[in-house]
Amino acid sequence: MKEDTEMNVKTGAEHRASLRDGRDIRIEGRRVADVTEDPAFRGAVASGCALYDAQSAPEAVERLTYEVPGLGGRRANRAWQAPRSYAELVTRREALEEWAEGHVGFIGRSPDHVASCLVGMEMDPAPFEAHDLKRAGALRDYVAFARAKDLFLTYVIINPQADRSKQASQQSNPDLALHIVDEDHEGITVRGGKMLATSSVMANEIFVSTIQPMAPGDERHAVCFAIPVATRGLRLLSRKSYEAAAGHPFDAPLASRFDENDAVAYFDEVKVPWERVFATRDLRIMQAMWHETPAHVLQNYQCQIRLLVKMRFLAGIARRTAEINGTIGMPPVRDTLGQLAAEVGMVEGLLRGMEAKGRMHNGFFVPDRTLLYSAQVLTQQLYPRFVDTLRELAGGGLIMLPSSAADYGDAQIAHDIAATQCSSVAGPMERVKFFKLAWDAVGSEFASRHVQYEKFYAGAQFVTRGHSFRTFDWTRSSAAVDRILGETPEPVPATMPIAAE
Ligand SMILES: Cc1cc2nc3c(=O)[nH]c(=O)nc-3n(C[C@H](O)[C@H](O)[C@H](O)COP(=O)(O)OP(=O)(O)OC[C@H]3O[C@@H](n4cnc5c(N)ncnc54)[C@H](O)[C@@H]3O)c2cc1C
């Protein structure tokens, strides 16, 4: 059984080997030689590989993967499965939920995110076909290729911030945002930047497009393609590595493992062959690919699955905080925990509601988009509040901590730590270990980046509220208003007597 599994499903070892490909990652003034070994990235890479080890474990392979038709028994992660019924959507969600539990929701751009996006595009090729049949064929073949290889993909679909009051083509630096600079019989050549290539350091390939609205004049910026991260001319300009700064895993148990990284992707005269180009110079397809196919819904539904796992974990941190500090019996603390529990329930309820209210689209069963956008808007606001509540519950315990694991190497300090880290339910080591974890979840630089991530990964609030406004069933609301207005009697206005001449 194990041998079969190893042959038929992508494993962590396979993924690790695939990342030793000469990719160009820059950090701290240097070029990274091997991302799998580099102190800035190796913990995150190990977590990325662990995802594939999890799916290839004999006891999990059936749940987390499915047999891809026509590939002689080869399996791929369930994220690549396009559900044809409510039951298949739920089975897929259960797999994604189980997968996210490995990183308790802290790898935002885990491989199931962009796989969900591409499956959504594949579900309805009509917008791509209306753009160009050859490009639609290239996308179809690419999705089949990525699925067969169970690739880890990430995407960049936002132009770098500069002057947000101007279009991409109007920025003072014409090379700021990625655009087409040349085109020949082999393909296109692109130059410019994109933000923010989360997880790109440990992904196999990068999908490139734009989701921001475009206007006439932006045609050269209207381009969609996918290339291996190790493509010549593509440089990943990494932000600071929280993993590198984490020190001993005891001090930063999350940052040391799950710092998925974010990078500016700079495309320096990158040549993209036609078989990997999915759209060019057409403003209409740049919006249609997200909103006329189920792509935007499926990719963000995956985000809510992951977020639910993270919220459950954070609720666990909240409760443990109260237990360790002896506040769990206090009515206001129980009240706060009850509020947090209700909020986790709201996320789960919205998720299940999206499934229950799902509908058939072109032969596939897709989650309800109105409830998806409700969830996006509400969880963007919820996450920072939730984290703040955890900080409120914890008080100075998050800070009253040894400077690092190295303190335990000194007998006097170790003695003093044991004397001052007390709890009725946990020993000193357990208390310190827990509060180090709690700080990494809600207070550290890593945690702060997560607040920014949950607020912005799907666009700023005006964007997500715009989706909510656009997709809500206003007709039904308006009809209710009209019905009550219609049932409300109106007074008959008295008429003014006609004045005598
Ligand atoms: C940690 C992190 C990871 C990310 N990972 C990825 C990724 O993997 N792939 C990817 O493609 N992108 C990624 N992003 C980028 C993300 O998609 C963008 O941050 C998001 O779309 C918001 O765009 P922006 O940051 O340019 O903010 P802006 O659009 O500049 O908005 C910032 C603020 O400016 C104001 N504002 C700007 N424009 C308007 C307007 N028209 N009307 C009203 N107010 C306005 C609002 O106050 C808004 O909150 C990531 C972002 C973060 C923070």
PDB file of all heavy atoms in Angstrom, residues 127 209-214 282-293 296 467 470:
ATOM      1  N   PRO A 127     -15.756  32.743 -20.851  1.00  0.00           N
ATOM      2  CA  PRO A 127     -15.143  34.074 -20.969  1.00  0.00           C
ATOM      3  C   PRO A 127     -13.783  34.035 -21.678  1.00  0.00           C
ATOM      4  O   PRO A 127     -13.461  34.938 -22.460  1.00  0.00           O
ATOM      5  CB  PRO A 127     -15.000  34.538 -19.522  1.00  0.00           C
ATOM      6  CG  PRO A 127     -16.025  33.746 -18.768  1.00  0.00           C
ATOM      7  CD  PRO A 127     -16.088  32.423 -19.457  1.00  0.00           C
ATOM      8  N   SER A 209      -1.844  37.689 -13.074  1.00  0.00           N
ATOM      9  CA  SER A 209      -2.979  38.354 -13.706  1.00  0.00           C
ATOM     10  C   SER A 209      -3.204  39.676 -12.981  1.00  0.00           C
ATOM     11  O   SER A 209      -2.335  40.111 -12.204  1.00  0.00           O
ATOM     12  CB  SER A 209      -4.232  37.466 -13.630  1.00  0.00           C
ATOM     13  OG  SER A 209      -5.295  38.069 -14.321  1.00  0.00           O
ATOM     14  N   THR A 210      -4.327  40.306 -13.215  1.00  0.00           N
ATOM     15  CA  THR A 210      -4.695  41.519 -12.475  1.00  0.00           C
ATOM     16  C   THR A 210      -6.174  41.438 -12.164  1.00  0.00           C
ATOM     17  O   THR A 210      -6.979  41.093 -13.038  1.00  0.00           O
ATOM     18  CB  THR A 210      -4.398  42.788 -13.293  1.00  0.00           C
ATOM     19  OG1 THR A 210      -2.996  42.810 -13.583  1.00  0.00           O
ATOM     20  CG2 THR A 210      -4.755  44.043 -12.520  1.00  0.00           C
ATOM     21  N   ILE A 211      -6.498  41.748 -10.914  1.00  0.00           N
ATOM     22  CA  ILE A 211      -7.918  41.748 -10.527  1.00  0.00           C
ATOM     23  C   ILE A 211      -8.422  43.170 -10.345  1.00  0.00           C
ATOM     24  O   ILE A 211      -9.620  43.413 -10.324  1.00  0.00           O
ATOM     25  CB  ILE A 211      -8.130  40.886  -9.259  1.00  0.00           C
ATOM     26  CG1 ILE A 211      -9.619  40.580  -9.059  1.00  0.00           C
ATOM     27  CG2 ILE A 211      -7.520  41.525  -8.038  1.00  0.00           C
ATOM     28  CD1 ILE A 211      -9.912  39.504  -8.048  1.00  0.00           C
ATOM     29  N   GLN A 212      -7.485  44.125 -10.236  1.00  0.00           N
ATOM     30  CA  GLN A 212      -7.915  45.525 -10.094  1.00  0.00           C
ATOM     31  C   GLN A 212      -8.567  45.986 -11.396  1.00  0.00           C
ATOM     32  O   GLN A 212      -8.164  45.558 -12.482  1.00  0.00           O
ATOM     33  CB  GLN A 212      -6.692  46.411  -9.796  1.00  0.00           C
ATOM     34  CG  GLN A 212      -6.083  46.141  -8.434  1.00  0.00           C
ATOM     35  CD  GLN A 212      -4.608  46.517  -8.405  1.00  0.00           C
ATOM     36  OE1 GLN A 212      -3.830  46.082  -9.259  1.00  0.00           O
ATOM     37  NE2 GLN A 212      -4.227  47.297  -7.427  1.00  0.00           N
ATOM     38  N   PRO A 213      -9.554  46.871 -11.285  1.00  0.00           N
ATOM     39  CA  PRO A 213     -10.191  47.370 -12.505  1.00  0.00           C
ATOM     40  C   PRO A 213      -9.169  48.048 -13.409  1.00  0.00           C
ATOM     41  O   PRO A 213      -8.239  48.694 -12.933  1.00  0.00           O
ATOM     42  CB  PRO A 213     -11.208  48.395 -11.982  1.00  0.00           C
ATOM     43  CG  PRO A 213     -11.389  48.078 -10.536  1.00  0.00           C
ATOM     44  CD  PRO A 213     -10.117  47.452 -10.069  1.00  0.00           C
ATOM     45  N   MET A 214      -9.348  47.870 -14.709  1.00  0.00           N
ATOM     46  CA  MET A 214      -8.463  48.511 -15.690  1.00  0.00           C
ATOM     47  C   MET A 214      -9.304  49.438 -16.555  1.00  0.00           C
ATOM     48  O   MET A 214     -10.525  49.297 -16.622  1.00  0.00           O
ATOM     49  CB  MET A 214      -7.801  47.468 -16.558  1.00  0.00           C
ATOM     50  CG  MET A 214      -6.815  46.618 -15.795  1.00  0.00           C
ATOM     51  SD  MET A 214      -6.001  45.461 -16.912  1.00  0.00           S
ATOM     52  CE  MET A 214      -4.473  45.240 -16.063  1.00  0.00           C
ATOM     53  N   ASP A 282      -6.730  42.569 -23.454  1.00  0.00           N
ATOM     54  CA  ASP A 282      -8.193  42.647 -23.509  1.00  0.00           C
ATOM     55  C   ASP A 282      -8.684  42.997 -22.101  1.00  0.00           C
ATOM     56  O   ASP A 282      -8.587  42.179 -21.182  1.00  0.00           O
ATOM     57  CB  ASP A 282      -8.733  41.283 -23.984  1.00  0.00           C
ATOM     58  CG  ASP A 282     -10.255  41.218 -23.945  1.00  0.00           C
ATOM     59  OD1 ASP A 282     -10.900  42.224 -23.589  1.00  0.00           O
ATOM     60  OD2 ASP A 282     -10.789  40.135 -24.266  1.00  0.00           O
ATOM     61  N   LEU A 283      -9.184  44.206 -21.937  1.00  0.00           N
ATOM     62  CA  LEU A 283      -9.581  44.664 -20.601  1.00  0.00           C
ATOM     63  C   LEU A 283     -10.757  43.847 -20.068  1.00  0.00           C
ATOM     64  O   LEU A 283     -10.867  43.604 -18.877  1.00  0.00           O
ATOM     65  CB  LEU A 283      -9.948  46.153 -20.637  1.00  0.00           C
ATOM     66  CG  LEU A 283      -8.853  47.100 -21.154  1.00  0.00           C
ATOM     67  CD1 LEU A 283      -9.321  48.549 -21.052  1.00  0.00           C
ATOM     68  CD2 LEU A 283      -7.540  46.915 -20.381  1.00  0.00           C
ATOM     69  N   ARG A 284     -11.629  43.394 -20.974  1.00  0.00           N
ATOM     70  CA  ARG A 284     -12.851  42.729 -20.528  1.00  0.00           C
ATOM     71  C   ARG A 284     -12.556  41.394 -19.829  1.00  0.00           C
ATOM     72  O   ARG A 284     -13.083  41.109 -18.762  1.00  0.00           O
ATOM     73  CB  ARG A 284     -13.770  42.489 -21.733  1.00  0.00           C
ATOM     74  CG  ARG A 284     -15.149  42.207 -21.282  1.00  0.00           C
ATOM     75  CD  ARG A 284     -16.172  41.880 -22.315  1.00  0.00           C
ATOM     76  NE  ARG A 284     -17.380  41.510 -21.599  1.00  0.00           N
ATOM     77  CZ  ARG A 284     -17.590  40.325 -21.059  1.00  0.00           C
ATOM     78  NH1 ARG A 284     -16.701  39.361 -21.198  1.00  0.00           N
ATOM     79  NH2 ARG A 284     -18.687  40.081 -20.381  1.00  0.00           N
ATOM     80  N   ILE A 285     -11.662  40.604 -20.434  1.00  0.00           N
ATOM     81  CA  ILE A 285     -11.376  39.291 -19.847  1.00  0.00           C
ATOM     82  C   ILE A 285     -10.709  39.430 -18.469  1.00  0.00           C
ATOM     83  O   ILE A 285     -10.863  38.559 -17.606  1.00  0.00           O
ATOM     84  CB  ILE A 285     -10.494  38.414 -20.788  1.00  0.00           C
ATOM     85  CG1 ILE A 285     -10.251  37.002 -20.212  1.00  0.00           C
ATOM     86  CG2 ILE A 285      -9.154  39.049 -21.084  1.00  0.00           C
ATOM     87  CD1 ILE A 285     -11.465  36.165 -20.078  1.00  0.00           C
ATOM     88  N   MET A 286     -10.024  40.540 -18.247  1.00  0.00           N
ATOM     89  CA  MET A 286      -9.322  40.702 -16.978  1.00  0.00           C
ATOM     90  C   MET A 286     -10.292  40.757 -15.793  1.00  0.00           C
ATOM     91  O   MET A 286      -9.934  40.388 -14.683  1.00  0.00           O
ATOM     92  CB  MET A 286      -8.425  41.953 -17.003  1.00  0.00           C
ATOM     93  CG  MET A 286      -7.348  41.922 -18.078  1.00  0.00           C
ATOM     94  SD  MET A 286      -6.338  40.415 -18.104  1.00  0.00           S
ATOM     95  CE  MET A 286      -5.377  40.592 -16.605  1.00  0.00           C
ATOM     96  N   GLN A 287     -11.514  41.223 -16.004  1.00  0.00           N
ATOM     97  CA  GLN A 287     -12.531  41.163 -14.952  1.00  0.00           C
ATOM     98  C   GLN A 287     -13.338  39.875 -15.059  1.00  0.00           C
ATOM     99  O   GLN A 287     -13.650  39.232 -14.069  1.00  0.00           O
ATOM    100  CB  GLN A 287     -13.464  42.375 -15.039  1.00  0.00           C
ATOM    101  CG  GLN A 287     -12.877  43.631 -14.418  1.00  0.00           C
ATOM    102  CD  GLN A 287     -12.514  43.450 -12.940  1.00  0.00           C
ATOM    103  OE1 GLN A 287     -13.368  43.150 -12.110  1.00  0.00           O
ATOM    104  NE2 GLN A 287     -11.237  43.602 -12.608  1.00  0.00           N
ATOM    105  N   ALA A 288     -13.659  39.505 -16.320  1.00  0.00           N
ATOM    106  CA  ALA A 288     -14.542  38.344 -16.530  1.00  0.00           C
ATOM    107  C   ALA A 288     -13.936  37.064 -15.959  1.00  0.00           C
ATOM    108  O   ALA A 288     -14.658  36.205 -15.447  1.00  0.00           O
ATOM    109  CB  ALA A 288     -14.819  38.179 -18.025  1.00  0.00           C
ATOM    110  N   MET A 289     -12.591  36.927 -16.025  1.00  0.00           N
ATOM    111  CA  MET A 289     -11.979  35.667 -15.558  1.00  0.00           C
ATOM    112  C   MET A 289     -12.257  35.428 -14.071  1.00  0.00           C
ATOM    113  O   MET A 289     -12.299  34.299 -13.626  1.00  0.00           O
ATOM    114  CB  MET A 289     -10.483  35.634 -15.856  1.00  0.00           C
ATOM    115  CG  MET A 289      -9.642  36.560 -15.022  1.00  0.00           C
ATOM    116  SD  MET A 289      -7.869  36.309 -15.324  1.00  0.00           S
ATOM    117  CE  MET A 289      -7.647  36.992 -16.955  1.00  0.00           C
ATOM    118  N   TRP A 290     -12.455  36.501 -13.324  1.00  0.00           N
ATOM    119  CA  TRP A 290     -12.700  36.345 -11.876  1.00  0.00           C
ATOM    120  C   TRP A 290     -14.190  36.206 -11.567  1.00  0.00           C
ATOM    121  O   TRP A 290     -14.582  35.406 -10.731  1.00  0.00           O
ATOM    122  CB  TRP A 290     -12.152  37.560 -11.104  1.00  0.00           C
ATOM    123  CG  TRP A 290     -10.725  37.833 -11.408  1.00  0.00           C
ATOM    124  CD1 TRP A 290     -10.211  38.859 -12.160  1.00  0.00           C
ATOM    125  CD2 TRP A 290      -9.600  37.045 -11.008  1.00  0.00           C
ATOM    126  NE1 TRP A 290      -8.849  38.757 -12.231  1.00  0.00           N
ATOM    127  CE2 TRP A 290      -8.454  37.658 -11.535  1.00  0.00           C
ATOM    128  CE3 TRP A 290      -9.466  35.884 -10.236  1.00  0.00           C
ATOM    129  CZ2 TRP A 290      -7.176  37.140 -11.332  1.00  0.00           C
ATOM    130  CZ3 TRP A 290      -8.198  35.375 -10.022  1.00  0.00           C
ATOM    131  CH2 TRP A 290      -7.065  35.994 -10.573  1.00  0.00           C
ATOM    132  N   HIS A 291     -14.982  37.037 -12.245  1.00  0.00           N
ATOM    133  CA  HIS A 291     -16.373  37.169 -11.792  1.00  0.00           C
ATOM    134  C   HIS A 291     -17.404  36.508 -12.709  1.00  0.00           C
ATOM    135  O   HIS A 291     -18.544  36.332 -12.296  1.00  0.00           O
ATOM    136  CB  HIS A 291     -16.696  38.658 -11.579  1.00  0.00           C
ATOM    137  CG  HIS A 291     -15.771  39.289 -10.571  1.00  0.00           C
ATOM    138  ND1 HIS A 291     -15.693  38.832  -9.275  1.00  0.00           N
ATOM    139  CD2 HIS A 291     -14.852  40.282 -10.675  1.00  0.00           C
ATOM    140  CE1 HIS A 291     -14.779  39.533  -8.624  1.00  0.00           C
ATOM    141  NE2 HIS A 291     -14.246  40.418  -9.452  1.00  0.00           N
ATOM    142  N   GLU A 292     -17.027  36.163 -13.928  1.00  0.00           N
ATOM    143  CA  GLU A 292     -17.965  35.430 -14.786  1.00  0.00           C
ATOM    144  C   GLU A 292     -17.692  33.924 -14.749  1.00  0.00           C
ATOM    145  O   GLU A 292     -18.444  33.145 -15.308  1.00  0.00           O
ATOM    146  CB  GLU A 292     -17.919  35.978 -16.222  1.00  0.00           C
ATOM    147  CG  GLU A 292     -18.524  37.372 -16.299  1.00  0.00           C
ATOM    148  CD  GLU A 292     -18.481  37.977 -17.683  1.00  0.00           C
ATOM    149  OE1 GLU A 292     -18.404  37.235 -18.682  1.00  0.00           O
ATOM    150  OE2 GLU A 292     -18.489  39.227 -17.767  1.00  0.00           O
ATOM    151  N   THR A 293     -16.593  33.543 -14.171  1.00  0.00           N
ATOM    152  CA  THR A 293     -16.323  32.137 -13.862  1.00  0.00           C
ATOM    153  C   THR A 293     -16.454  32.005 -12.332  1.00  0.00           C
ATOM    154  O   THR A 293     -16.472  33.016 -11.632  1.00  0.00           O
ATOM    155  CB  THR A 293     -14.884  31.722 -14.261  1.00  0.00           C
ATOM    156  OG1 THR A 293     -13.979  32.293 -13.297  1.00  0.00           O
ATOM    157  CG2 THR A 293     -14.509  32.206 -15.653  1.00  0.00           C
ATOM    158  N   HIS A 296     -13.318  33.448  -8.513  1.00  0.00           N
ATOM    159  CA  HIS A 296     -13.214  34.314  -7.337  1.00  0.00           C
ATOM    160  C   HIS A 296     -13.947  33.705  -6.139  1.00  0.00           C
ATOM    161  O   HIS A 296     -13.490  33.805  -4.998  1.00  0.00           O
ATOM    162  CB  HIS A 296     -13.794  35.700  -7.674  1.00  0.00           C
ATOM    163  CG  HIS A 296     -13.346  36.779  -6.739  1.00  0.00           C
ATOM    164  ND1 HIS A 296     -14.206  37.426  -5.891  1.00  0.00           N
ATOM    165  CD2 HIS A 296     -12.113  37.311  -6.512  1.00  0.00           C
ATOM    166  CE1 HIS A 296     -13.538  38.322  -5.186  1.00  0.00           C
ATOM    167  NE2 HIS A 296     -12.265  38.268  -5.543  1.00  0.00           N
ATOM    168  N   HIS A 467     -18.102  43.952  -3.569  1.00  0.00           N
ATOM    169  CA  HIS A 467     -18.598  42.637  -4.021  1.00  0.00           C
ATOM    170  C   HIS A 467     -19.915  42.306  -3.315  1.00  0.00           C
ATOM    171  O   HIS A 467     -20.844  41.768  -3.917  1.00  0.00           O
ATOM    172  CB  HIS A 467     -17.581  41.533  -3.710  1.00  0.00           C
ATOM    173  CG  HIS A 467     -16.299  41.650  -4.480  1.00  0.00           C
ATOM    174  ND1 HIS A 467     -16.263  41.975  -5.817  1.00  0.00           N
ATOM    175  CD2 HIS A 467     -14.997  41.483  -4.104  1.00  0.00           C
ATOM    176  CE1 HIS A 467     -15.000  41.997  -6.228  1.00  0.00           C
ATOM    177  NE2 HIS A 467     -14.223  41.711  -5.218  1.00  0.00           N
ATOM    178  N   ARG A 470     -22.635  44.313  -4.814  1.00  0.00           N
ATOM    179  CA  ARG A 470     -22.915  43.878  -6.185  1.00  0.00           C
ATOM    180  C   ARG A 470     -23.742  42.594  -6.238  1.00  0.00           C
ATOM    181  O   ARG A 470     -24.542  42.404  -7.142  1.00  0.00           O
ATOM    182  CB  ARG A 470     -21.552  43.664  -6.871  1.00  0.00           C
ATOM    183  CG  ARG A 470     -21.522  43.302  -8.316  1.00  0.00           C
ATOM    184  CD  ARG A 470     -20.080  43.367  -8.852  1.00  0.00           C
ATOM    185  NE  ARG A 470     -19.116  42.563  -8.106  1.00  0.00           N
ATOM    186  CZ  ARG A 470     -18.950  41.256  -8.224  1.00  0.00           C
ATOM    187  NH1 ARG A 470     -19.680  40.582  -9.089  1.00  0.00           N
ATOM    188  NH2 ARG A 470     -18.043  40.619  -7.499  1.00  0.00           N
TER     189      ARG A 470
END
